[in-house]
């Protein structure tokens, strides 16, 4: 085949700027056939292959010194099936584009994470999730997918076709092949009413189970150095739509959540001693509000302040105790934390390496402003999380290895055995996968 796909060289960086790589070349295939040829050619040259989406992972999951596949040209909606209620999209399609395309057709995903910059393949492969009593994971909404395997074969899999691959590849970490298209379950577009409300830490933690049980989607943010939280409850609504006013929405979502917060983080980085006072002001700045809109406009919000993040998935019953330990640790340490701690939940699912695989799950996520030393904080939090059998988010900073993860995931061996079969020579390997999956 004649090489027609775009090829570049240079340094690759992730969104947060904490991971860089220098691939031998980066290619942008314009079709599945070109992608398969890229994979076969790299294998012939002894170069490893990694697809990279928008770089929203904080780990080196997509880093390579071999061939970096950019999915920029593999985008768009392939098919909407209104009988099966599914949508099939190319792997490089940004979630934002999928959400707006579905809304135009009067359709929606059931749940999603809180940002939508990622590609569909990048988001699902690393286990991106939202919060929900009955749904959370984006990957759990996958009904079929196709991927190019190490020998250049296009493999289509679903619950009915190559079911063993489907069970693992929905969250495949890029270890099983290059995902080229994904079929998601969709439903008629619906309205959600969001109720955002400040609430004291002690009340949120005391009523956590009740808040999760009584709401379709519940999450909260705790501001370290304070006893203050901001809660968010999203529930389906009969309408009518009542989106945030243009001015009030801009004040909450852009001015306070991005503009003022950016300034506060910058001041905190320069003057760490000021952070507790800033946190006290920040945690009281967001007022109670309610609004009703279509799902992606309620679930997602812009994130313009750059940060690094670690998130652990715990058995839901351990969440409150773990969070209280984090609070006590911060209170007795010299740490100064400007970013709120985020808590979300998910029901169990049946995906081999899903952080919610087989158990009711709560997520505790900690963040630090980009450029601020984060190791001491993340190490202390990670020590608490692993004490509760926590599973780290595959796309967020952590130090766990295959020895730990094989104990944390009952179906870990099922995944690695499949990887041995599909990619025995580790064409899709890199240093991160060697650490988390072993050789």
């Amino acid at each position: 085949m004649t090489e027609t796909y775009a090829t570049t060289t240079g340094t690759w960086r992730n969104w947060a700027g904490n991971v860089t790589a220098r691939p031998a070349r980066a290619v942008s295939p314009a079709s599945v056939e070109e992608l398969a040829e890229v994979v076969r050619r790299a294998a012939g040259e002894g170069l490893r292959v990694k697809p990279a989406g928008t770089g929203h992972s904080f780990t080196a999951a997509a880093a390579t010194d071999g061939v970096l596949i950019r999915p920029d040209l593999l985008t768009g909606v392939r098919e909407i099936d209104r009988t099966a209620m599914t949508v099939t999209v190319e792997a490089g399609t940004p979630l934002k584009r999928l959400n707006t395309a579905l809304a135009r057709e009067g359709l929606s995903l059931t749940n999603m994470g809180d940002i939508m910059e990622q590609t569909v393949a990048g988001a699902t492969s690393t286990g991106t999730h939202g919060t929900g009593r009955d749904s959370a994971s984006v990957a759990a909404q996958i009904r079929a997918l196709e991927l190019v395997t190490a020998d250049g074969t296009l493999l289509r899999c679903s619950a009915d076709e190559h079911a063993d691959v489907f069970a693992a590849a929905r969250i495949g970490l890029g270890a099983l092949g290059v995902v080229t298209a994904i079929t998601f379950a969709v439903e008629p577009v619906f309205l959600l009413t969001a109720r955002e409300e400040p609430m004291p830490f002690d009340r949120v933690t005391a009523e956590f189970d009740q808040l999760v049980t009584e709401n379709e989607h519940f999450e909260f943010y705790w501001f370290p150095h304070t006893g203050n939280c901001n809660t968010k409850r999203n529930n389906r609504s009969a309408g009518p739509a009542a989106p945030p006013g243009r001015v009030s929405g801009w004040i909450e979502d852009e001015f306070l959540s991005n503009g003022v917060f950016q300034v506060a983080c910058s001041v905190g980085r320069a003057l760490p001693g000021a952070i507790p006072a800033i946190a006290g002001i920040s945690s009281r700045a967001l007022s109670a509000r309610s609004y009703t809109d279509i799902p992606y406009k309620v679930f997602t919000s812009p994130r313009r302040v750059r940060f690094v993040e670690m998130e652990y998935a715990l058995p839901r019953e351990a969440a409150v105790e773990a969070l209280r330990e984090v609070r006590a640790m911060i209170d007795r340490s010299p740490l100064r934390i400007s970013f709120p701690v985020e808590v979300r939940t998910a029901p169990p699912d049946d995906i081999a390496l899903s952080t919610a695989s087989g158990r009711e799950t709560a997520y505790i996520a900690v963040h630090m402003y980009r450029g601020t030393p984060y190791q001491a904080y993340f190490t202390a939090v990670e020590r608490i999380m692993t004490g509760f059998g926590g599973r780290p988010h595959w796309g967020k900073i952590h130090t766990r290895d295959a020895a730990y993860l094989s104990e944390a995931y009952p179906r870990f061996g099922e995944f690695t055995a499949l990887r041995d079969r599909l990619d025995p020579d580790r064409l899709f390997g890199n240093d991160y996968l060697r650490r988390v999956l072993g050789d």
Side-chain angles (χ1 to χ4, degrees):
M1 177 176 168
T2 308
E3 184 180 306
T4 57
Y5 40 81
T7 303
T8 59
T9 55
T11 300
W12 175 85
R13 286 184 177 79
N14 68 339
W15 177 81
N18 66 311
V19 177
T20 58
R22 285 197 66 85
R25 61 179 179 268
V27 300
S28 299
S31 68
V32 173
E33 293 73 25
E34 284 188 4
L35 173 57
E37 176 63 23
V38 169
V39 169
R40 284 190 289 265
R41 181 182 166 204
E45 294 176 1
L47 292 173
R48 294 189 297 184
V49 175
K50 292 306 296 179
T54 53
H56 257 275
S57 287
F58 301 93
T59 62
T64 187
D65 57 3
V67 177
L68 187 78
I69 294 176
R70 308 304 305 259
D72 321 47
L73 304 179
L74 295 171
T75 65
V77 174
R78 225 187 248 187
E79 180 190 16
I80 291 174
D81 184 335
R82 291 183 181 274
T83 304
M85 288 303 283
T86 59
V87 61
T88 301
V89 283
E90 306 282 346
T93 309
L95 284 166
K96 180 189 295 182
R97 188 169 161 193
L98 171 61
N99 286 332
T100 53
L102 287 174
R104 280 198 303 272
E105 297 288 337
L107 300 169
S108 177
L109 296 173
T110 297
N111 204 343
M112 57 198 77
D114 59 6
I115 56 173
M116 53 178 182
E117 307 304 318
Q118 314 101 306
T119 62
V120 293
T124 54
S125 294
T126 52
T128 295
H129 61 89
T131 188
R133 183 184 61 205
D134 309 308
S135 71
S137 165
V138 180
Q141 297 168 72
I142 296 176
R143 294 295 170 264
L145 59 82
E146 63 178 42
L147 69 162
V148 171
T149 56
D151 61 1
T153 301
L154 183 67
L155 190 69
R156 293 182 175 87
C157 58
S158 66
D160 303 317
E161 189 178 12
H162 300 294
D164 57 337
V165 179
F166 183 66
R170 284 171 287 170
I171 298 180
L173 316 184
L176 305 177
V178 181
V179 175
T180 54
I182 298 175
T183 300
F184 291 102
V186 294
E187 58 178 300
V189 74
F190 52 94
L191 291 171
L192 283 172
T193 293
R195 182 175 159 203
E196 298 176 4
E197 180 185 7
M199 195 178 286
F201 179 93
D202 292 339
R203 182 182 160 198
V204 178
T205 50
E207 297 178 11
F208 179 65
D209 282 332
Q210 181 184 345
L211 288 162
V212 170
T213 305
E214 290 179 355
N215 294 282
E216 290 175 74
H217 310 276
F218 174 72
E219 65 187 304
F220 72 93
Y221 300 84
W222 164 60
F223 295 81
H225 314 294
T226 79
N228 304 328
C229 297
N230 204 43
T231 63
K232 185 174 182 181
R233 286 168 260 201
N234 297 333
N235 290 287
R236 294 196 184 212
S237 166
R246 182 173 291 182
V247 173
S248 63
W250 179 84
I251 289 172
E252 291 277 346
D253 297 326
E254 286 294 344
F255 182 64
L256 291 176
S257 297
N258 286 300
V260 171
F261 190 51
Q262 173 83 53
V263 173
C265 287
S266 300
V267 171
R269 184 169 65 185
L271 300 167
I275 285 175
I278 293 170
I281 296 165
S282 299
S283 66
R284 290 189 293 272
L286 297 169
S287 54
R289 64 171 177 163
S290 281
Y291 51 95
T292 301
D293 215 329
I294 61 174
Y296 83 86
K297 294 185 178 181
V298 174
F299 284 132
T300 70
S301 49
R303 291 276 184 274
R304 306 198 204 287
V305 181
R306 302 220 173 191
F307 53 84
V308 291
E309 180 178 359
M310 181 174 74
E311 180 181 70
Y312 265 81
L314 305 179
R316 203 181 91 190
E317 64 272 14
V320 168
E321 185 182 351
L323 188 63
R324 286 176 177 149
E325 285 195 23
V326 170
R327 184 181 183 182
M329 177 274 294
I330 291 172
D331 286 349
R332 67 173 180 264
S333 79
L335 293 169
R336 295 293 175 260
I337 311 302
S338 58
F339 254 87
V341 175
E342 181 182 25
V343 180
R344 295 179 286 174
T345 68
D349 64 41
D350 65 347
I351 305 170
L353 291 189
S354 167
T355 46
S357 185
R359 73 185 186 192
E360 287 280 347
T361 296
Y363 297 96
I364 297 178
V366 295
H367 313 69
M368 285 290 259
Y369 184 49
R370 185 172 70 170
T372 307
Y374 63 83
Q375 286 85 353
Y377 178 38
F378 284 13
T379 299
V381 172
E382 190 172 41
R383 192 174 297 128
I384 293 168
M385 299 299 148
T386 54
F388 290 97
R391 298 168 177 169
H393 189 299
W394 298 107
K396 299 176 185 179
I397 292 169
H398 67 95
T399 67
R400 300 298 89 192
D401 60 15
Y404 176 91
L405 295 163
S406 63
E407 296 292 321
Y409 286 92
R411 297 171 64 185
F412 189 84
E414 178 186 324
F415 187 95
T416 54
L418 181 67
R419 183 190 186 207
D420 289 342
R421 178 160 68 82
L422 291 181
D423 187 17
D425 299 324
R426 303 297 187 252
L427 178 69
F428 303 116
N430 63 6
D431 292 343
Y432 177 71
L433 291 183
R434 185 180 301 113
R435 171 161 71 88
V436 298
L437 296 178
D439 278 328

